[in-house]
Amino acid sequence: MTSAASRPVRIGVQIAPQHSTYSEIRDTLNTLEELGVDVAFNWDHFYPLSGDAEGTHFEGWSMLAAWAEQTTSIQFGPLVTCNTYRNPDLLADIARTVDHISAKNGAEGRLIFGIGSGWFERDYDEYGYEFGTVGQRLDALAESLPRIESRWAKLNPAPTRKIPVLIGGGGEKKTLRIVAKHADIWHSFADTETLERKLLILRGHCEAIGRDFDDIEISTGTRPHAADSAAQVEALEAQHALGATLFTLGITGPGLDPSPVRDLLAWRDEVNSR
């Protein structure tokens, strides 16, 4: 496993699959790969999360299969897929297939399997899923991940490699315990002070089950133009000092604009050259 100290900084961009045509999304992904972005994410919802609630929107996993074929080097995945929208064995098979599609020129696949317990009630109501409670959805996630891992072990052909599992969410009693047990990457949108506290809690969960805390890559969200001000650079540096190495910027339509990522890429390159 790569230790936190030796892990390079990576930059992700989440392309919100809303308020855009698919051709705009496809062109933006091409631009991100050409710029040298490390990871492209979408999300797993059925309606816009911001702006016009009835605006255009596309389904996530169909899009990821297209991304797998379209790209050659960038890693990609959902940030995050909702555990309860699909049977976990089927979800494992979908992910394995998308990962194989992304394997090019003899290399391994490039999918990052981001997953969470779900939260957007409209998705559940409109598509006929049982919303339940936060606790019930987290319990379902804890039950599904062993099934997903087991299905990956049974599939023929097998995944191209151990598909990295990213778990999103910051609940300290349940979510971080699930992260300690199953995640290769933990993602949150916490500020620096909150991130520091939650990392201590995550470390405690890892110690309780005998997991090496440093095996988990720490991922966090950042805002557009984050590197334009000294204060934001200071925040990025502070989170990096705590161990965060994957920083993800969200962009959305209308008018998808990938230009803010250039500052983050420059910061990444400067940090990695130290």
Side-chain angles (χ1 to χ4, degrees), residues 186-233:
W186 171 57
H187 181 83
S188 82
F189 287 94
D191 59 36
T192 303
E193 183 178 355
T194 304
L195 179 64
E196 185 173 18
R197 185 185 77 250
K198 290 184 183 293
L199 286 173
L200 287 173
I201 295 167
L202 177 57
R203 187 181 292 274
H205 285 307
C206 287
E207 290 173 352
I209 64 170
R211 173 88 187 272
D212 187 344
F213 170 81
D214 287 337
D215 285 350
I216 302 172
E217 183 174 13
I218 307 305
S219 169
T220 188
T222 188
R223 296 193 297 272
H225 306 289
D228 284 352
S229 71
Q232 287 297 337
V233 171

Side-chain angles (χ1 to χ4, degrees), residues 5 8 13-14 20 32 34 44 74 87 93 101 110 120-121 168 172-173 177 191 206 218 251 260:
V13 177
Q14 183 183 48
S20 300
L32 296 179
E34 290 168 0
D44 186 26
I74 195 169
N87 172 284
D93 202 344
I101 295 169
R110 293 173 283 116
F120 190 40
E121 190 168 2
E172 297 175 1
K173 293 182 179 179
R177 187 169 68 241
D191 59 36
C206 287
I218 307 305
I251 61 174

Side-chain angles (χ1 to χ4, degrees), residues 63-127:
M63 182 180 292
L64 291 172
W67 287 12
E69 191 63 68
Q70 174 185 344
T71 59
T72 57
S73 60
I74 195 169
Q75 291 189 301
F76 65 95
L79 189 64
V80 290
T81 197
C82 176
N83 169 62
T84 46
Y85 293 166
R86 300 164 190 84
N87 172 284
D89 291 87
L90 172 61
L91 182 56
D93 202 344
I94 292 170
R96 180 280 311 250
T97 300
V98 169
D99 192 57
H100 268 268
I101 295 169
S102 72
K104 306 285 180 66
N105 303 318
E108 295 178 336
R110 293 173 283 116
L111 177 73
I112 293 176
F113 182 73
I115 190 168
S117 59
W119 62 273
F120 190 40
E121 190 168 2
R122 185 183 181 187
D123 285 347
Y124 289 81
D125 292 344
E126 296 267 10
Y127 277 56

Side-chain angles (χ1 to χ4, degrees), residues 151-175:
R151 180 56 55 187
W152 279 339
K154 297 173 183 176
L155 288 168
N156 182 20
T160 66
R161 88 286 198 218
K162 182 189 183 303
I163 297 174
V165 173
L166 178 154
I167 295 177
E172 297 175 1
K173 293 182 179 179
K174 286 190 174 182
T175 303

